[in-house]
Amino acid sequence: MLALLLVLATVQDTTIVIHPDSSGATLQARELPRVVTDEVIKFYNAPGTTRLVGRTRLPRGNEWRGDVAVRNGPAIIGGRVDGTLVVINGDVLLEPGAEISGSLIVVGGTVEGTTESRIGGETRQYREPLLYRLRGEGDEIAYAPNLRRRALWNPGARVSWGTADTRSSLTIATGGTFNRVEGLPIVFGPLFDWKLEENLRIRVDALGVFRSAGDLSDKRSDLGYMLRTELRSGEIRPFGLGFRAYDVVAPIEDWGLRNAEVGWSAFVFARDYRDYYLNKGWATRLFAHPERQLALALELRRDWQESVAARDPWTMFRNSDAWRPNPPIDEGHYITLGANATVDTRNDTDDPTSGWLVRTTLEHASSKDVTPQTGVPAAVRRAIPVDGSYAFDRLFIDVRRYARVSTSGRVNLRLLAGGWVGGDPLPLQRRLSLGGPDPLTGYAFRQSACNRDITAPAFAGTLVAACDRVLALQAEYRGHLKLNWSYTPFGTGRDEGDEDQQGGTLLRLEGPDLVVFGEAGQAWLVGNGPGRLPSDRLPTLGSWLADLGLGVDWGGFGLYVAKAVTTGERLRFTVRLDHRF
């Protein structure tokens, strides 16, 4: 099956990515067609084009004369553009009465308000972003594909048909993350996207999930599924209603390393930095984007959660080594009401240099048939009621700040905080830990996991995460080292046109970012007694784990070395396939 997918990858159009933690599936954005890329770059770099950067507004009664290109919009147009308008990686809002004498071309964004405005030429919209870099003095741009993303994308094939209003597709692709429980999951099935009326669409996904590692139990569970319907109104500020049904392998503690990093670590070195459980159920969700930078959602889920054992999928190296056992969970049906809020003001989602990202999730869950795992002593968790009254509350917050402090220097900050906030104790699958490649790079995997008193045979060797709460701070300084060396075998290319446009450059080596970072945090148990903290207190600073480190980052591929600020801890080296945060 894997060989078939690698062959199909040559005709890859769009792949499906399953997010088992949220029991959702999304289409991975296609790359902008090269012919459109060349057209937009040529337009932007043309001597007669007026170039604008960032949020741009043309008030009513005002006029731009000549061709205009806006990079990293959005662009709000209320007046008249006497020429063609191109917007790169930003949205366009046309106010009533706006006029563009030429064409309107938008890449990496959407257009709103065309019905109450006048456009003399054609209107074209591409959701795929333009991949570019600045050149010269920053006045021009050049094509710069994300090679890291190309190397790590999920192989697959997709056949599509339909019109702009009605689109259908049939897909087979890798989905989710290679792991020790299900191996490499393969998703397959149809997707439908219909336009019911102006600004109202309905989408239906029906995907099967094949677990290449084999059956998870004696109930023929090597096949899962993902069904989703979504009714959405609006493009720039959408709102809607969704329903999902799923049978997936869900991860525990997915807020550290990214999916691709976990998957490649498991596939290459047989090191899986997550634990998993089988999650079956349904969910209904209300969502809204009252502002472009604000997303809100309210979700009701009913899940049946079950323990699964680690299998023995094949790996490139250390294939003969035994996998770390997958710990058991507190099984049962859970009804969860969750509220999510996201504020995203970053100027770039992949490589931000300014802005905020704030994600908050608050959940209230209950169960009438929970089966607590035996072997978890009272020193770790008080007894879970089994009389049908079990309920708990959990909060998780992820705050990130990105700021440019000089021409080539950036400072990035991150705060992680979450865990139990009320009710009965957290089940095992909702507990937390710290330590490992992320976020405490200088420490061993799950250095702080609150599992020292768990000695039952079912947990032997699992390194189970058992803490109630976690708090971590991360800070880094990034300074770019200019290199920009290129090799063009047929000359510089400037005599016969730009080499970036003609494709004459055979090899280009960009300079890396030098990263200096520090991290601190702690995970702990809540309550009264030895080894616990009251719910209204935080660990003293003297008990926090902390590390310092140095690394280099080439567009996401990074090599790091970190040292824990603790006597006896050794230097630890880490390879990352994406930015740290």
Side-chain angles (χ1 to χ4, degrees), residues 126-371:
Y126 304 90
R127 291 181 177 272
E128 302 82 6
L130 175 68
L131 305 177
Y132 70 89
R133 61 178 175 82
L134 299 178
R135 71 177 189 194
E137 299 298 324
D139 295 331
E140 296 183 345
I141 61 176
Y143 178 57
N146 190 331
L147 299 179
R148 173 177 57 86
R149 179 171 294 177
R150 284 186 173 186
L152 299 176
W153 54 265
N154 294 348
R158 175 175 179 259
V159 178
S160 302
W161 60 91
T163 65
D165 293 338
T166 301
R167 298 188 296 271
S168 304
S169 64
L170 185 63
T171 302
I172 178 172
T174 62
T177 302
F178 181 90
N179 59 78
R180 68 190 188 280
V181 170
E182 57 182 347
L184 180 68
I186 309 297
V187 298
F188 54 91
L191 295 89
F192 307 96
D193 189 351
W194 294 289
K195 181 179 180 180
L196 302 180
E197 57 183 61
E198 189 67 27
N199 289 329
L200 184 63
R201 306 191 70 92
I202 186 171
R203 174 171 171 164
V204 179
D205 304 345
L207 301 175
V209 183
F210 172 70
R211 296 160 181 148
S212 60
D215 293 355
L216 300 181
S217 67
D218 58 358
K219 300 178 182 179
R220 192 63 185 174
S221 55
D222 58 346
L223 291 177
Y225 60 84
M226 181 82 61
L227 305 176
R228 184 181 71 167
T229 62
E230 182 178 277
L231 184 65
R232 175 184 293 259
S233 176
E235 290 289 344
I236 295 181
R237 297 181 178 87
F239 61 91
L241 173 67
F243 174 82
R244 295 177 288 118
Y246 41 85
D247 178 342
V248 297
V249 172
I252 299 174
E253 286 199 293
D254 61 345
W255 48 270
L257 291 174
R258 293 174 173 83
N259 286 352
E261 296 177 300
V262 172
W264 280 105
S265 175
F267 178 67
V268 176
F269 301 111
R271 286 181 180 161
D272 195 336
Y273 289 105
R274 288 180 184 169
D275 297 328
Y276 306 88
Y277 60 94
L278 188 63
N279 193 27
K280 305 177 183 180
W282 58 263
T284 183
R285 175 173 174 263
L286 289 170
F287 62 91
H289 290 257
E291 296 294 337
R292 180 66 175 173
Q293 300 170 335
L294 175 64
L296 303 173
L298 185 65
E299 185 174 64
L300 177 65
R301 302 192 305 270
R302 186 180 189 274
D303 302 314
W304 163 248
Q305 298 177 356
E306 182 180 0
S307 301
V308 288
R311 310 287 295 175
D312 189 24
W314 181 85
T315 61
M316 292 182 63
F317 302 103
R318 303 176 62 200
N319 188 56
S320 60
D321 293 357
W323 289 92
R324 178 173 60 88
N326 193 57
I329 67 167
D330 298 312
E331 299 180 346
H333 291 89
Y334 291 86
I335 297 178
T336 303
L337 179 63
N340 302 280
T342 300
V343 178
D344 189 351
T345 66
R346 296 173 296 173
N347 61 340
D348 188 295
T349 57
D350 292 325
D351 191 15
T353 58
S354 66
W356 291 83
L357 176 62
V358 181
R359 293 172 176 161
T360 303
T361 301
L362 176 62
E363 296 177 322
H364 173 78
S366 62
S367 176
K368 295 182 179 180
D369 61 359
V370 62
T371 304

Side-chain angles (χ1 to χ4, degrees), residues 451-527:
N451 57 19
R452 183 181 58 184
D453 295 320
I454 301 178
T455 59
F459 295 95
T462 63
L463 302 178
V464 60
C467 297
D468 289 317
R469 288 179 177 173
V470 67
L471 176 63
L473 299 171
Q474 294 178 277
E476 65 177 24
Y477 170 81
R478 289 177 170 267
H480 187 68
L481 304 178
K482 292 187 177 180
L483 186 60
N484 298 331
W485 177 85
S486 63
Y487 170 62
T488 306
F490 304 108
T492 64
R494 295 196 180 274
D495 293 334
E496 300 178 3
D498 194 313
E499 70 271 17
D500 292 310
Q501 300 299 317
Q502 300 299 326
T505 299
L506 179 64
L507 178 64
R508 179 180 299 277
L509 184 61
E510 300 284 350
D513 284 348
L514 178 65
V515 183
V516 181
F517 64 91
E519 303 160 319
Q522 187 57 277
W524 69 96
L525 295 170
V526 176

Side-chain angles (χ1 to χ4, degrees), residues 36-59:
V36 179
T37 296
D38 293 343
E39 176 189 7
V40 170
I41 290 177
K42 183 177 180 180
F43 180 92
Y44 186 93
N45 293 338
T49 300
T50 300
R51 303 160 194 161
L52 305 173
V53 180
R55 181 182 178 88
T56 304
R57 181 180 181 87
L58 176 63

